[in-house]
Amino acid sequence: MQWAEIVIETPAESAEAVTALLLEIGCQGVAETGGDPRTLTGFLPDAEDLLPRLDDLDDRLARLTDYGLSAPLNISYRHVEDTDWANEWRRHFKPLEIGRRLVIKPSWETYEGDPQRLVIELDPGMAFGTGTHPTTALCLEALEDYVTPGSVVADIGCGSGILSLAAARLGAAQVHATDIDLLPRQIARENVARNRLLEQITVHEMEAFDAAARGCDLVVANIIASVILELIPPVYARLKPGGVFIACGIVDERLPEVLESLAQAGFAVRETRSREVWRAVISARP
Amino acid sequence: MAKKVTAVVKLQIAAGKATPAPPVGSTLGPYGINMMEFIKGYNERTASMVGSIVPVEITIYEDRSFTFITKTPPAADLIKKALGIERGSDKPNTNKVGTLTRAQIAAIAEQKMPDLNANDIDAAMRIIEGTARSMGVRVEN
């Protein structure tokens, strides 16, 4: 099927009336962008009755001024080929090799690269953490270097669960994950099940996490600097002596504050890694 | 979560009935977000409002994750509900489908105020009144 795309630029005060007209002539919905003026986009199937419908729309738009509203500034039409909209977005996701040992693979793709790489199957969804963000990549690479076989790991602000999945694939025996929001916790649980890592990874609510994530070998938190600052003392308490804290989501200008707070809490900073404006700080409890 | 917003997109679509067809697919497709997940989430959240248009504002982040919030129904929907009619007039100048009082206009304007680009209630009422009249609805003076 072909579609006629109707794009109307209008003063904001007429946006409600124009939207109503687009729906009235048979559009299944209207996309809206901009403030004032606003751009409204509707679609009609390119069927026999298209031209009369567009004529009707033109007439009625021209009459908006009769009702005390402003006339649209611009109206344009364009033919749009039908596309496999339901799957089109998937083209944006391909298996993504990260660091030396990991690959993030969407469930609909196959990965035929290096068979030594550890595969994390992850369908992008609403929760943050698809592997394409610099902070996620920084954390994944740091996990490769610091997760030791059989270790206990905690993941604070788990989002999609990607870092917990990586830690488990890299050999952690037990991973405790949590997120302040319900939705990411649900999504993370689905991803843990998808990767058959239910025995290794537990996605906790905050209180249960607080009780469970003790005596950790490693804690990772990819959040933002202000939250990292608050987390530093409690994370110190969660770690065994010698345990490692990977703190990420820190923009360059907040780095000095984070380093200072880590030192104050008793952490020994091992290294700082960077990608674009983002910094990851890796420190250890002596 | 170190999130940076890539785009904010608003869609006016039918509650509980989103599909990948345009405008949903054509609008969200290019951003590469998991569209089926959006559709499922939107339809679930709006299932109890089937029959209404429920606008949704989708915020898309740098890593193609997203969140969405639903908004108040468009003015036309509120006008039709106030009058108990299914649709507006196809000949708004000659064929009138109902009459709204000033108080009804004011009530709708107040409800829509947060979404309208209006400085005060008078401006909001003028928008609602104009929308109503463009649908073939009389407004009491």
Side-chain angles (χ1 to χ4, degrees), chain B residues 42-134:
Chain B
Y42 174 83
N43 287 342
E44 268 171 17
R45 212 181 289 179
T46 57
S48 62
M49 292 174 267
V50 169
S52 299
I53 299 285
V54 175
V56 57
E57 196 174 270
I58 304 138
T59 304
I60 301 159
Y61 300 99
E62 210 176 356
D63 78 337
R64 300 201 187 95
S65 58
F66 64 97
T67 54
F68 68 89
I69 49 166
T70 53
K71 306 278 235 175
T72 48
D77 246 47
L78 300 174
I79 292 165
K80 285 187 272 187
K81 280 223 175 63
L83 292 169
I85 56 172
E86 289 280 306
R87 45 180 303 154
S89 166
D90 48 4
K91 295 200 171 50
N93 277 356
T94 50
N95 187 8
K96 301 296 179 188
V97 290
T99 304
L100 284 178
T101 62
R102 301 298 303 171
Q104 283 174 307
I105 296 279
I108 295 171
E110 231 161 77
Q111 193 181 344
K112 282 298 291 178
M113 194 71 190
D115 297 335
L116 295 175
N117 202 25
N119 292 327
D120 53 45
I121 190 72
D122 287 342
M125 283 178 69
R126 200 168 56 77
I127 292 173
I128 303 301
E129 184 180 337
T131 306
R133 293 175 63 198
S134 76

Side-chain angles (χ1 to χ4, degrees), chain A residues 34-280:
Chain A
D36 195 1
R38 204 160 297 176
T39 304
L40 302 166
T41 307
F43 294 82
L44 285 175
D46 194 352
E48 276 173 23
D49 61 348
L50 176 64
L51 285 178
R53 288 207 221 186
L54 293 180
D55 283 345
D56 184 31
L57 177 69
D58 269 345
D59 281 352
R60 294 175 69 172
L61 288 171
R63 259 185 273 132
L64 286 179
T65 49
D66 298 350
Y67 311 123
L69 297 173
S70 310
L73 306 170
N74 192 33
I75 307 165
S76 62
Y77 306 106
R78 181 169 78 96
H79 283 278
V80 177
E81 290 292 330
D82 208 9
T83 306
D84 181 7
W85 307 108
N87 292 304
E88 169 81 356
W89 62 274
R90 294 185 170 191
R91 290 192 304 116
H92 295 271
F93 292 95
K94 297 288 169 200
L96 183 67
E97 292 180 351
I98 293 185
R100 302 179 313 278
R101 293 161 64 195
L102 295 168
V103 58
I104 313 292
K105 181 186 89 64
S107 61
W108 62 85
E109 288 279 340
T110 50
Y111 175 68
E112 284 162 354
D114 179 358
Q116 300 299 313
R117 280 193 181 256
L118 305 166
V119 176
I120 298 168
E121 198 169 285
L122 192 78
D123 283 353
M126 284 183 66
F128 187 81
T130 58
T132 58
H133 195 271
T135 58
T136 312
L138 274 173
C139 288
L140 289 168
E141 288 168 5
L143 287 172
E144 276 191 347
D145 294 334
Y146 287 96
V147 171
T148 51
S151 56
V152 176
V153 171
D155 175 7
I156 306 175
C158 66
S160 66
I162 188 170
L163 302 180
S164 293
L165 297 169
R169 282 274 184 265
L170 289 163
Q174 221 185 340
V175 183
H176 300 287
T178 192
D179 200 290
I180 196 166
D181 291 328
L182 171 68
L183 184 75
R185 291 200 301 263
Q186 284 171 346
I187 291 170
R189 286 189 187 115
E190 287 168 21
N191 284 326
V192 169
R194 190 199 305 280
N195 284 274
R196 298 190 183 83
L197 289 168
L198 286 162
E199 280 181 26
Q200 290 90 335
I201 304 171
T202 313
V203 182
H204 300 278
E205 296 187 12
M206 302 277 276
E207 274 179 23
F209 173 85
D210 202 38
R214 301 271 162 192
C216 299
D217 298 288
L218 187 150
V219 175
V220 61
N222 182 22
I223 314 182
I224 51 172
S226 56
V227 179
I228 297 288
L229 289 171
E230 283 173 33
L231 284 175
I232 289 170
V235 164
Y236 189 89
R238 291 188 190 289
L239 287 167
K240 283 179 190 163
V244 170
F245 179 27
I246 301 170
C248 194
I250 303 158
V251 285
D252 183 36
E253 63 260 30
R254 304 293 300 271
L255 181 66
E257 266 174 274
V258 173
L259 292 174
E260 199 188 314
S261 293
L262 284 166
Q264 270 174 10
F267 277 104
V269 174
R270 292 226 186 130
E271 57 171 318
T272 299
R273 297 182 179 190
S274 47
R275 185 162 296 188
E276 297 175 22
V277 298
W278 302 103
R279 303 290 175 265

